[in-house]
Amino acid sequence: MSRIVYLNGQYLPEEEASVSIFDRGFVMGDAVYEVTSILDGKILEFEGHIARLNRSLSELEITCDITPEEWLEIHRELIARNDLVEGMIYLQVSRGNAGDRDFHYPPAGTPPTVVLYTQSKPGLADDPKAKKGITVISVPDLRWHRRDIKTVQLLYASMVKMAAEKAGKNDAWFVEDGFVTEGSSNNVYIVKNGKIITRQLSNDILHGITRASLLKYAAESQMEVEERLFTIEEAQGADEAFYTSASAFVMPVVEVDGVAVGSGKPGPVATRLREIYLEESRKAAI
Ligand code: PMP
């Protein structure tokens, strides 16, 4: 059975949903996106993702007048029409069809292209990798310097994921000026003597929605958090490491550039934070 997707106000079978070859998203990577997780048929972190979407749109001056209530209705309609229980909803807004290719933005009033679709992932919250932990390589951070805007320009992230796979590892961490920025599609953390250390927010990293909630839950659980830079060497000498993202929640990292972190197994802090995150975000899901 084909999926029902959303395109510019319509719910369509995926085969019938098509976008212009002149679309700025296609030609220029001129589009922003969000991914939300669905557990028990409910949306996790909805408000945070929509707030970040609106910020990305406004930073790029893309006009899209869909309200948070309308976004919610579209998400819920897609969940219902596709019987989605566990998985993700992908949302993308591009600057729309500009007609001829041109570096300049199209005239005001050009409608954006709005696409949403579901991805069913039964067992999303029970990923066996969370029990084993994952391995990462480090790579230079060659991305542009507005990583706070969630654009669809993900080629370098794809390249480094392929490089990790070729090296027999699960993922890659970006390093810039000697310090870890973030993972290829996640925010990263180390734990030393019980303290959680993660890079502070700036335009150098995406302001993860999962990160914001995780730090709140950590503080509520009396865990100590320090937002500062750290190096690969410090990560290798840490007691634990982990990453967060909307679709992986909290994922233990047990090896960095071939060196085991701590015991080389998921540690108690990452394991506990994963439990807390899943419990709290399920409770708050809408
Ligand atoms: N950093 C990058 C580069 C990402 O692609 C993602 C996932 N979209 C994140 C961090 C984590 O953000 P979130 O928790 O909002 O999914």
Side-chain angles (χ1 to χ4, degrees):
M1 202 184 73
S2 87
R3 249 179 304 201
I4 299 297
V5 303
Y6 176 93
L7 172 62
N8 297 332
Q10 285 187 296
Y11 294 93
L12 300 167
E14 63 185 66
E15 305 79 11
E16 290 172 29
S18 57
V19 172
S20 166
I21 60 163
F22 300 112
D23 195 275
R24 294 268 309 188
F26 177 62
V27 180
M28 300 255 175
D30 187 355
V32 299
Y33 76 107
E34 285 294 329
V35 178
T36 47
S37 272
I38 309 300
L39 293 179
D40 316 315
K42 289 184 180 170
I43 314 156
L44 269 60
E45 307 265 23
F46 177 77
E47 273 178 30
H49 286 283
I50 295 304
R52 186 174 62 189
L53 170 71
N54 284 329
R55 180 178 179 278
S56 296
L57 288 167
S58 101
E59 288 297 306
L60 296 178
E61 299 173 39
I62 298 176
T63 310
C64 176
D65 52 17
I66 298 176
T67 65
E69 294 71 32
E70 288 164 341
W71 283 123
L72 182 57
E73 198 182 304
I74 298 167
H75 280 73
R76 287 190 164 151
E77 192 65 31
L78 285 174
I79 292 170
R81 289 191 189 225
N82 294 287
D83 293 322
L84 184 64
V85 180
E86 274 197 4
M88 282 98 78
I89 293 186
Y90 177 78
L91 176 172
Q92 178 174 321
V93 181
S94 84
R95 203 181 300 274
N97 175 357
D100 280 352
R101 181 177 177 278
D102 187 344
F103 281 95
H104 297 89
Y105 295 168
T110 303
T113 301
V114 179
V115 171
L116 287 91
Y117 54 80
T118 55
Q119 296 198 165
S120 178
K121 298 262 178 213
L124 182 68
D126 301 304
D127 187 342
K129 286 206 292 298
K131 295 226 161 56
K132 209 171 147 225
I134 66 124
T135 55
V136 300
I137 57 168
S138 65
V139 295
D141 199 336
L142 302 181
R143 300 172 301 163
W144 78 330
H145 285 266
R146 288 306 306 273
R147 301 159 193 158
D148 56 311
I149 308 175
K150 197 165 168 63
T151 78
V152 299
Q153 301 180 23
L154 296 172
L155 181 55
Y156 190 56
S158 284
M159 287 169 71
V160 302
K161 280 190 192 280
M162 295 308 292
E165 192 176 287
K166 257 194 208 145
K169 309 297 175 188
N170 300 115
D171 201 5
W173 280 11
F174 295 127
V175 176
E176 185 170 62
D177 300 330
F179 296 101
V180 177
T181 50
E182 56 189 333
S184 65
S185 60
N186 44 67
N187 292 116
V188 301
Y189 311 74
I190 57 174
V191 181
K192 189 72 180 177
N193 300 327
K195 192 192 284 178
I196 300 161
I197 299 156
T198 192
R199 190 182 177 104
Q200 65 277 17
L201 294 180
S202 69
N203 291 354
D204 297 334
I205 62 170
L206 187 72
H207 300 192
I209 303 305
T210 321
R211 177 189 184 280
S213 292
L214 180 107
L215 295 187
K216 184 174 79 142
Y217 299 144
E220 284 168 6
S221 309
Q222 321 317 323
M223 293 180 185
E224 209 184 331
V225 176
E226 195 179 348
E227 293 181 71
R228 65 160 170 84
L229 303 176
F230 63 88
T231 63
I232 288 292
E233 293 68 34
E234 191 178 2
Q236 289 171 327
D239 301 327
E240 297 184 36
F242 63 93
Y243 75 68
T244 61
S245 75
S247 54
F249 314 113
V250 179
M251 182 61 69
V253 173
V254 295
E255 187 196 290
V256 177
D257 280 343
V259 176
V261 178
S263 65
K265 295 204 170 78
V269 174
T271 304
R272 181 75 193 116
L273 283 170
R274 182 177 172 89
E275 283 165 9
I276 295 174
Y277 181 80
L278 279 168
E279 192 183 313
E280 294 297 326
S281 52
R282 269 186 208 272
K283 254 195 263 168
I286 57 170

